[in-house]
Amino acid sequence: MASQEEKQAQPFTDVFDEDEAERSFLLSKPTCLIVFGKPGSGKKTLARKLAQRWQYIFIEASEVIQTNIREETEYGLKCQEFLCKGQSVSEELVTEMILQKIESPEVAHFGYVLTGFPSLSEEYMTVPQQIEKIMNLKLKPDILINIKCPDHDLCQRISGQRQHPDSGEIYQRSQWDPKVLEKHKKEKDQHEEEDEEEDEGQEEEEEEETAEDPHKKSESFHQLVQRPEDFLENAEKRIGTYKHIMLHHLEELVTEHDCRYRIEVDGSLQADHLFEKKAYVASDKNYTCCYCCFNKQDELFRALSSYNLIAPRYRWRRSRWGQACPVALKEGNIVMGNPEFAVSFLGKMYILSSQEALKTFMLNPRPYLLPPMPLPPCKVLVFGPPFSGRTTVCNVIAHKYKGKV
């Protein structure tokens, strides 16, 4: 009889506990990646593309330095002082900035893609110490991406790089070398001749355009210069230093890491092809990249329409916070939000009270949504004559209910 009653009750049981699923996500660790590879193998390019595609926070030494200088932080002012004196930024300062970025609120929510660390410079810490520092982080990397490329091909690629002195943009040999450009043009012309579906008029227009573009490009390419670090002998020296100092330790790290969460890619491919290959492998291996986007007010109210559902029976709707601002409520104040600063997150609507509160919430909403929130603050006033024990009572109440005196 009991089994029959259970069978009858089962169809009416909701096995999807939405609150528990949301709490589990808010407590979960964001996915973090680290990209390794020889100098010039395309680590920075790949890491930046991954960060843009999957909404990670991109962390790299030069990027962190520029951000701190632009925001005029304490670290940024120190960096600016070093650079104005013609000195390089110390390795210790760079490491501190990278670790501070990893511990920032936005990284705690979105995760990160780290590259360029550990550093070849052992001025502050040795390579094993840097690796140990990375793997002992609270948000340690989950996925290791190792870019492999033969030394000869890599040296040829680095020595073929040229920089524009005004913009600082780097061009590969395939972008500036007239011989390579002419070869690509011939291949393109042969491909166009084989294509019988194109109109003759379109072919003439394309020929005119291709005739003009190389002339315009050649004028700007005459200004390109080769950086000292891109000379062939210097490139070979950098790669040799990498293999001597770092390669052995990184191979040990990759070997010890869970094979399900390490990826090796072919560094001889172009950056775009390398990125697509990485994205394909990641999806094929069922890697989970946890990121959440916020919708501003216009997109939010469009999403609230009845035909746009996140799942059957679960619509976009107001949260338990109602019109109260989650950020103000966390600080112990009840402040009604302004619809101008409304966002949606995990299918629910949150209304913030100010632009600053909105910015804080979007950096990392987790601290403002985890239980016991939303919890209206309880404020108690204790008064009485002098020496009646007001302070003692206040401290006891605060300790009992985890409040502030």
Side-chain angles (χ1 to χ4, degrees):
M1 293 294 292
S3 60
Q4 291 180 357
E5 291 177 358
E6 289 177 2
K7 289 180 180 179
Q8 291 177 357
Q10 189 174 1
F12 302 100
T13 303
D14 187 1
V15 295
F16 182 77
D17 188 344
E18 188 178 7
D19 292 336
E20 183 63 28
E22 182 176 325
R23 184 173 181 274
S24 176
F25 170 78
L26 294 173
L27 290 171
S28 65
K29 174 186 176 295
T31 305
C32 303
L33 298 85
I34 185 167
V35 182
F36 300 121
K38 298 175 184 176
S41 59
K43 303 185 295 293
K44 188 174 178 179
T45 303
L46 176 61
R48 190 186 297 277
K49 286 180 175 293
L50 286 169
Q52 292 173 352
R53 170 70 67 88
W54 299 106
Q55 301 294 318
Y56 292 118
I57 304 299
F58 174 60
I59 302 179
E60 189 266 339
S62 60
E63 188 80 13
V64 171
I65 293 173
Q66 292 174 10
T67 302
N68 278 273
I69 292 176
R70 185 171 58 252
E71 296 177 356
E72 297 182 351
T73 63
E74 183 181 352
Y75 287 124
L77 295 175
K78 289 182 181 179
C79 293
Q80 205 163 11
E81 184 180 350
F82 280 119
L83 296 174
C84 289
K85 291 179 181 179
Q87 302 174 359
S88 60
V89 182
S90 65
E91 196 69 29
E92 181 179 1
L93 188 59
V94 173
T95 303
E96 289 178 1
M97 286 189 290
I98 289 175
L99 295 177
Q100 183 196 47
K101 187 66 176 178
I102 292 176
E103 295 172 357
S104 62
E106 60 268 29
V107 169
H109 177 57
F110 291 100
Y112 64 79
V113 181
L114 175 65
T115 187
F117 193 82
S119 170
L120 276 174
S121 172
E122 296 187 312
E123 173 189 339
Y124 175 53
M125 288 191 295
T126 63
V127 171
Q129 289 174 339
Q130 295 180 62
I131 293 176
E132 184 180 359
K133 191 76 173 177
I134 296 171
M135 302 314 293
N136 288 333
L137 291 171
K138 183 180 178 181
L139 295 177
K140 67 179 182 180
D142 302 293
I143 300 175
L144 307 183
I145 302 174
N146 187 20
I147 303 177
K148 289 194 169 184
C149 186
D151 293 351
H152 175 75
D153 296 346
L154 192 55
C155 290
Q156 293 300 317
R157 182 198 300 177
I158 296 174
S159 62
Q161 292 181 157
R162 297 294 185 271
Q163 185 179 38
H164 197 281
D166 296 331
S167 64
E169 189 172 355
I170 304 296
Y171 293 90
Q172 300 295 331
R173 185 182 297 276
S174 59
Q175 296 175 294
W176 65 266
D177 193 338
K179 295 180 181 179
V180 180
L181 289 172
E182 186 177 355
K183 181 181 178 181
H184 288 330
K185 183 184 175 184
K186 288 181 179 179
E187 292 176 355
K188 184 179 179 182
D189 291 341
Q190 291 177 358
H191 180 70
E192 289 177 353
E193 289 176 1
E194 293 173 358
D195 191 354
E196 299 177 355
E197 296 178 0
E198 291 183 354
D199 297 333
E200 294 181 359
Q202 292 179 351
E203 290 179 358
E204 292 176 0
E205 290 177 1
E206 288 179 0
E207 287 176 1
E208 291 176 2
E209 290 177 0
T210 52
E212 291 177 359
D213 291 341
H215 180 67
K216 291 180 181 179
K217 290 180 179 179
S218 61
E219 294 179 358
S220 62
F221 286 158
H222 282 308
Q223 303 175 3
L224 299 181
V225 296
Q226 188 176 19
R227 300 176 299 176
E229 61 265 30
D230 293 339
F231 292 157
L232 182 59
E233 56 272 18
N234 292 338
E236 292 174 346
K237 185 177 179 181
R238 287 166 58 201
I239 294 173
T241 304
Y242 173 87
K243 293 171 69 176
H244 176 68
I245 295 177
M246 188 177 294
L247 184 59
H248 175 66
H249 301 292
L250 289 182
E251 285 179 345
E252 287 184 349
L253 173 64
V254 172
T255 304
E256 293 173 0
H257 198 71
D258 190 342
C259 62
R260 296 174 299 171
Y261 303 108
R262 64 173 186 245
I263 302 173
E264 292 184 353
V265 291
D266 184 5
S268 60
L269 300 174
Q270 292 294 331
D272 293 335
H273 298 294
L274 186 64
F275 172 69
E276 295 301 331
K277 182 74 174 175
K278 158 68 186 73
Y280 170 75
V281 173
S283 62
D284 185 51
K285 297 291 184 181
N286 295 321
Y287 293 122
T288 304
C289 298
C290 298
Y291 70 95
C292 292
C293 299
F294 299 89
N295 297 322
K296 290 296 182 63
Q297 184 183 9
D298 294 341
E299 299 177 3
L300 168 64
F301 287 112
R302 279 202 299 270
L304 288 173
S305 57
S306 59
Y307 61 85
N308 192 357
L309 309 180
I310 58 172
R313 300 183 294 114
Y314 295 98
R315 302 181 178 181
W316 295 81
R317 60 202 180 280
R318 289 183 180 272
S319 66
R320 296 192 300 274
W321 280 252
Q323 292 187 351
C325 174
V327 176
L329 198 60
K330 180 72 173 178
E331 296 171 354
N333 302 313
I334 301 178
V335 180
M336 292 298 104
N338 187 343
E340 182 181 350
F341 306 116
V343 295
S344 68
F345 177 66
L346 295 181
K348 296 177 183 176
M349 182 168 63
Y350 301 92
I351 305 176
L352 287 305
S353 57
S354 64
Q355 184 67 40
E356 184 180 354
L358 175 65
K359 183 179 179 181
T360 305
F361 185 82
M362 293 184 69
L363 282 177
N364 186 359
R366 301 183 188 220
Y368 309 103
L369 304 183
L370 283 168
M373 304 302 295
L375 184 66
C378 178
K379 300 181 180 180
V380 179
L381 172 64
V382 179
F383 61 95
F387 305 104
S388 61
R390 292 171 300 181
T391 304
T392 304
V393 173
C394 283
N395 290 331
V396 170
I397 294 175
H399 177 73
K400 177 71 174 178
Y401 297 102
K402 298 179 181 180
K404 293 183 179 180
V405 177

